[in-house]
Amino acid sequence: MDIKEKVFEIVAECLEKNVTDLTLDTDMDDVEEWDSMRNVMILSRLEEEFDIMIPEDDIFDLVTVGAIVEEIEKIKAE
């Protein structure tokens, strides 16, 4: 499973949605359940899954599934 697939899986699970309900453009504002607490849960699960630490300065920019995928790919490439 690649990074994108795993991100989709974790975001869908945390939001209690189907993976097919999400796109790279899915935004926090588009999903009623995606509040700040769920965002913390999503980012925490992703940090654990990928064994990474998302920089604090970047957290507030991660408001779409695509932005999350890009951030993790960037961190893993370093």
Side-chain angles (χ1 to χ4, degrees), residues 59-76:
I59 289 174
F60 296 106
D61 296 329
L62 303 178
V63 296
T64 66
V65 175
I68 294 170
V69 170
E70 287 175 15
E71 180 73 12
I72 293 173
E73 288 175 340
K74 180 181 87 174
I75 293 169
K76 293 300 279 182

Side-chain angles (χ1 to χ4, degrees), residues 7-71:
V7 168
F8 270 74
E9 180 182 294
I10 290 171
V11 171
E13 183 179 312
C14 290
L15 297 177
E16 299 175 3
K17 298 284 185 187
N18 290 319
V19 172
T20 56
D21 294 336
L22 304 175
T23 69
L24 289 172
D25 294 324
T26 300
D27 190 289
M28 281 181 74
D29 294 334
D30 298 336
V31 182
E32 185 176 332
E33 298 84 4
W34 195 348
D35 58 14
S36 58
M37 291 302 293
R38 296 260 183 144
N39 203 44
V40 169
M41 182 187 340
I42 291 166
L43 297 178
S44 176
R45 290 274 317 279
L46 292 167
E47 286 181 331
E48 183 179 313
E49 175 67 32
F50 291 105
D51 193 28
I52 60 170
M53 182 64 97
I54 298 171
E56 270 185 52
D57 294 344
D58 295 347
I59 289 174
F60 296 106
D61 296 329
L62 303 178
V63 296
T64 66
V65 175
I68 294 170
V69 170
E70 287 175 15
E71 180 73 12

